[in-house]
Amino acid sequence: MELIDQHTKAIMEGCKERARDAGLRFEDETLEYIVTNRDLLELSPKLMIPNLYDYWVHDVDVLKEKGKYELYPGNPYETVINTRPAISYYNDNNPDWLNVMIFYHVLAHIDLFQNNIFFRHTWDYDFNGQALSDKRVIARLRSEKGRWVDYVIEFSRGIDNLVGFHQTLAHADDDEAAASPSKLDYYFDVFMQQPTPFKINHYIAEVERYNQCRRDNPANTEDAFFAAIEVEHPEFQALFQKYAETGPARHLDPLEYIMKHSRFLNREENRWMRTVAQIVRQTSLFFQPQIRTKILHEGWASYWHEKLFMRDDRIRGHEVEYARVNAGVTSLPRVGLNPYALGMRLFQHIEEMASKGKRSFAYQRLQDAGARATYDRQGGNGLNFLFGVRTHYCDFMFIHQFIDQEFVDRHRLFVAGKRLNRQRMTWEYYVDSRDAERYRAMVIDALYHPPHVTVDTGRNEDSRLYLVHHFEGKPLLRDYIANTLLGVEYLWGRPVCLETSEQVPVDPKDDSPSAAAGTGRMPEAPRTQAVEWRRVRYTMEKRRLSREILDAQDAPS
């Protein structure tokens, strides 16, 4: 591994100038390294940080990637890391024209790293230096504690996807927010939510009342709005003053709660375990935004490498080679999901829609297909709209808002079904639906979505840790519950309970086929056994797992 030579660095600096002229924003300092194909393969499984703490799973991933490379040798193009300065790695056999394309791709990645609000908690420190420090700490502890370090890493990683990523973002600007808390934010975000939330129709009515006060009295909107509130709720002002003095209550994620409140971890002889768990948590938090912006990231980078590369005079004579490489990266598969292809085309679709004024309410109201096809209100700035999307969106918001029927029809997208051809005894794929809602749901279902699990401090009886899974339509994988709770029990030092939702079979009714036997009635055809969603509690105590069914609940929508 070595830094790129001066010739290649000059190419990168030229790409930076053109990228800035197009509107991308990033820090001046970057580091570029040259590595071999095999070295580049090792970087991705290790979470792209060469000096990340050593752990056996990382080595397994590296071996797996090497095995794939032996069977299907390929040419990975680049790897870029969100550090200060940003670090990127390139193949040692890339020609100059290909480096131009890849440099544009990397600069767009860096632009999103340094401007997207979901990364704002990573802007204040150099993770590369932090990772090196953490690696040295883990190595020193291994020399003292042996394999117990790996046990603690294993147990901590079992719940490291439950880290409070959104809570971390919400408290990223706590110092500024604490200096002058907003009465309006407190009313809508705190007062109307706890301890007994107001009904949703009342909440909407209050929002509308505030908007009306703003229209009627723009100079003293808040005074007019809160006058009625202080009459109806005389305790409001006192509660707000207390909130302003103490600040918002911070809810700890399960791993953070264990580190802070576990008597076992806070013993003098076990505090090194808390250090290891903190390293695992901080590493997970650093990579959370990258996991949640995969389509946005690759789409943004692919959009810009195509836009800037085609304008660059340094590609003359290599248009055919570029077309071949670009098609391999950004082609839309008929079955499956290519984040490069989907994200790039979605950005192009958004730019065109915004430039023609199709993001307006007037366009959305049009029902005539011909009028929608020819609609064009000049004057829209599609590029500025794209930069707003780059700054404020994650994958879920990006997909949920912008995949519409026009986009699906334009690119002939569809939801594929799978069925067995009994004559040929082979599986075959078919077009199940071309509906945008179905396609959007399919893509969203493929996104990263960890379970929402919190600590219920009100039910932590007899030093037990009570975890609650807030059910969102997907049950937990039962195969992982036992090992995960075993690790949590070890870190907590006491029994652990987990409340979740599962499908439980329902007892057959009298009109079932078995009940009809012997009554003279014709038995019905066998039917799939009915199930219902029930709350279930798992308890891990002394390394033994028990399960009990609680109450029934409504099926998720």
Side-chain angles (χ1 to χ4, degrees):
M1 183 185 302
E2 60 184 15
L3 288 170
I4 59 175
D5 57 34
Q6 291 301 309
H7 170 72
T8 311
K9 184 66 173 178
I11 295 176
M12 168 57 105
E13 293 304 315
C15 291
K16 287 181 181 179
E17 293 179 7
R18 291 168 170 83
R20 285 197 177 95
D21 291 341
L24 297 181
R25 294 188 292 112
F26 44 82
E27 295 180 355
D28 291 334
E29 294 80 11
T30 59
L31 289 175
E32 295 81 30
Y33 288 91
I34 292 295
V35 296
T36 65
N37 279 7
R38 289 180 178 273
D39 291 337
L40 199 58
L41 285 169
E42 292 187 13
L43 295 177
S44 294
K46 286 208 171 188
L47 301 178
M48 300 181 292
I49 306 292
N51 51 9
L52 191 69
Y53 64 86
D54 293 319
Y55 183 58
W56 67 270
V57 169
H58 300 160
D59 297 328
V60 170
D61 289 338
V62 169
L63 293 174
K64 182 170 63 176
E65 292 298 318
K66 285 184 175 179
K68 290 181 180 179
Y69 187 81
E70 294 293 338
L71 293 174
Y72 309 102
N75 184 33
Y77 297 112
E78 48 78 24
T79 290
V80 59
I81 306 172
N82 177 27
T83 56
R84 295 294 189 274
I87 301 175
S88 50
Y89 300 88
Y90 306 88
N91 282 319
D92 56 359
N93 56 359
N94 290 341
D96 288 347
W97 70 266
L98 183 57
N99 276 332
V100 173
M101 168 188 167
I102 298 172
F103 287 159
Y104 285 136
H105 192 93
V106 167
L107 290 173
H109 275 306
I110 297 173
D111 170 81
L112 197 143
F113 280 142
Q114 298 180 1
N115 294 283
N116 184 277
I117 62 173
F118 288 89
F119 288 85
R120 68 174 179 262
H121 72 288
T122 71
W123 295 342
D124 298 331
Y125 70 101
D126 175 23
F127 183 75
N128 194 47
Q130 183 65 48
L132 179 59
S133 175
D134 292 342
K135 183 173 185 175
R136 290 170 177 169
V137 170
I138 294 292
R140 177 178 58 81
L141 289 175
R142 274 201 181 96
S143 66
E144 298 174 2
K145 309 298 181 181
R147 67 180 186 276
W148 291 103
V149 174
D150 291 279
Y151 289 153
V152 176
I153 294 176
E154 184 93 27
F155 296 155
S156 301
R157 284 172 63 104
I159 56 174
D160 72 341
N161 62 334
L162 305 181
V163 293
F165 169 64
H166 291 288
Q167 297 172 21
T168 300
L169 290 183
H171 291 84
D173 302 320
D174 266 356
D175 294 338
E176 292 80 358
S180 56
S182 167
K183 182 185 289 189
L184 191 66
D185 289 340
Y186 171 76
Y187 178 67
F188 285 108
D189 296 342
V190 180
F191 184 76
M192 296 195 73
Q193 307 293 337
Q194 297 175 351
T196 302
F198 287 78
K199 293 183 179 180
I200 187 65
N201 57 347
H202 181 62
Y203 189 94
I204 295 174
E206 287 295 277
V207 172
E208 178 56 33
R209 190 171 69 83
Y210 173 79
N211 291 332
Q212 187 62 44
C213 290
R214 189 172 183 177
R215 289 189 291 267
D216 296 342
N217 195 352
N220 299 298
T221 300
E222 291 200 9
D223 291 341
F225 177 72
F226 285 108
I229 294 174
E230 292 174 358
V231 172
E232 185 177 356
H233 303 285
E235 75 281 8
F236 173 79
Q237 187 62 31
L239 291 174
F240 174 69
Q241 290 295 336
K242 183 178 180 180
Y243 173 84
E245 294 172 1
T246 61
R250 190 168 187 273
H251 300 284
L252 306 180
D253 60 63
L255 186 54
E256 190 178 16
Y257 185 89
I258 290 171
M259 289 189 298
K260 185 174 182 179
H261 296 286
S262 170
R263 297 178 184 175
F264 175 73
L265 290 185
N266 284 283
R267 293 176 187 169
E268 185 65 31
E269 66 272 18
N270 293 334
R271 287 185 179 177
W272 66 269
M273 297 184 186
R274 191 171 61 180
T275 300
V276 174
Q278 179 66 22
I279 291 174
V280 172
R281 181 177 179 274
Q282 285 299 116
T283 303
S284 177
L285 275 174
F286 180 83
F287 288 106
Q288 285 292 316
Q290 292 179 231
I291 300 173
R292 298 169 192 266
T293 56
K294 178 69 174 177
I295 297 175
L296 190 77
H297 242 299
E298 299 302 350
W300 184 249
S302 299
Y303 169 87
W304 279 106
H305 86 231
E306 180 175 278
K307 192 181 189 72
L308 295 175
F309 189 80
M310 296 302 293
R311 300 176 182 176
D312 201 310
D313 55 0
R314 292 173 291 182
I315 74 165
R316 290 178 181 173
H318 300 284
E319 290 84 356
V320 174
E321 292 98 325
Y322 163 75
R324 185 182 298 112
V325 171
N326 191 54
V329 174
T330 62
S331 60
L332 271 173
R334 303 307 294 163
V335 177
L337 180 63
N338 181 352
Y340 297 80
L342 180 63
M344 183 188 74
R345 286 166 176 79
L346 200 48
F347 273 116
Q348 293 170 344
H349 175 70
I350 295 169
E351 182 182 22
E352 180 181 332
M353 295 280 285
S355 297
K356 293 182 177 181
K358 292 185 177 182
R359 298 299 308 168
S360 63
F361 183 62
Y363 175 76
Q364 299 299 327
R365 291 183 60 188
L366 286 178
Q367 300 295 323
D368 183 79
R372 291 175 70 92
T374 58
Y375 189 94
D376 190 354
R377 297 292 184 267
Q378 299 293 332
N381 194 325
L383 194 56
N384 281 348
F385 191 87
L386 286 192
F387 281 114
V389 173
R390 172 264 270 156
T391 301
H392 298 104
Y393 281 70
C394 65
D395 276 351
F396 176 82
M397 299 162 62
F398 186 54
I399 297 302
H400 187 269
Q401 181 163 345
F402 296 117
I403 287 186
D404 53 23
Q405 195 62 51
E406 289 185 39
F407 178 75
V408 171
D409 293 341
R410 179 177 183 178
H411 296 287
R412 302 178 63 193
L413 302 175
F414 58 86
V415 177
K418 184 180 179 182
R419 61 193 174 197
L420 178 64
N421 187 323
R422 297 188 178 277
Q423 293 181 343
R424 298 182 179 180
M425 293 306 295
T426 57
W427 289 103
E428 60 184 16
Y429 293 92
Y430 64 96
V431 177
D432 187 25
S433 173
R434 294 187 183 274
D435 180 66
E437 187 174 348
R438 288 277 308 277
Y439 185 83
R440 184 168 55 244
M442 179 193 70
V443 177
I444 289 176
D445 191 57
L447 298 180
Y448 173 77
H449 186 78
H452 181 201
V453 178
T454 59
V455 178
D456 189 340
T457 56
R459 301 166 76 177
N460 285 353
E461 301 175 356
D462 299 328
S463 299
R464 294 191 175 205
L465 181 66
Y466 203 99
L467 303 176
V468 177
H469 172 216
H470 301 271
F471 190 54
E472 298 172 300
K474 292 184 178 181
L476 300 176
L477 294 176
R478 294 182 62 176
D479 293 344
Y480 296 103
I481 290 178
N483 287 338
T484 301
L485 291 185
L486 180 66
V488 175
E489 183 195 25
Y490 179 82
L491 296 176
W492 181 248
R494 293 288 191 278
V496 177
C497 297
L498 170 65
E499 184 177 316
T500 183
S501 296
E502 292 180 353
Q503 287 185 333
V504 178
V506 179
D507 293 334
K509 297 181 180 179
D510 292 338
D511 59 349
S512 64
S514 57
T519 62
R521 290 185 293 160
M522 180 65 69
E524 299 178 5
R527 293 178 299 177
T528 303
Q529 188 175 16
V531 296
E532 66 178 4
W533 292 100
R534 302 286 295 271
R535 292 299 285 177
V536 175
R537 180 167 58 220
Y538 288 91
T539 302
M540 179 65 72
E541 185 171 4
K542 296 181 179 178
R543 295 184 292 177
R544 292 182 179 275
L545 184 67
S546 60
R547 173 177 177 270
E548 60 178 315
I549 299 175
L550 303 178
D551 57 340
Q553 70 173 52
D554 295 334
S557 57

